Amino acid sequence: MTTASRPASDLHTTDWSAQPARRALNATEIVGQLAQRSGWTLAGDGADVAIEKTFRFADYFETIAFVNAVALVAHRLDHHPDLSVHYNRAVVRWNTHDAGGLTATDFDAAGRVDALLS
């Protein structure tokens, strides 16, 4: 199904094949982007470098509601984080595997996840 023929209720409306390839950021760009994202930290190294943040909640229900909202963000961006889900917390980890590192998309996604709780 092409983007043009998808129903309006479909949440995935971006034709990512028409987008330019994502580019891995250099160290200076990563530091600059990370400074703008409160609570996000670097994890891993090389092609496995990622940004991650732990979000804490009162109980499992709130945690799962948050994880479902993150899933919606990921679907809209066609960019999917690694998630670690626990009773009262969730760890969200972004990395662009096909770019071999962190991209602007990872930081954009992190900002959108932060906005879920603002």
Side-chain angles (χ1 to χ4, degrees), residues 41-86:
T41 60
L42 283 177
D45 58 12
D48 291 326
V49 69
I51 54 171
E52 69 179 28
K53 183 174 181 177
T54 300
F55 295 86
R56 299 193 182 280
F57 303 95
D59 55 35
Y60 191 70
F61 179 79
E62 286 186 12
T63 303
I64 294 302
F66 171 76
V67 167
N68 285 330
V70 171
L72 179 61
V73 168
H75 181 70
R76 297 277 320 234
L77 293 175
D78 193 27
H79 190 58
H80 306 93
D82 290 329
L83 297 169
S84 178
V85 181
H86 308 274

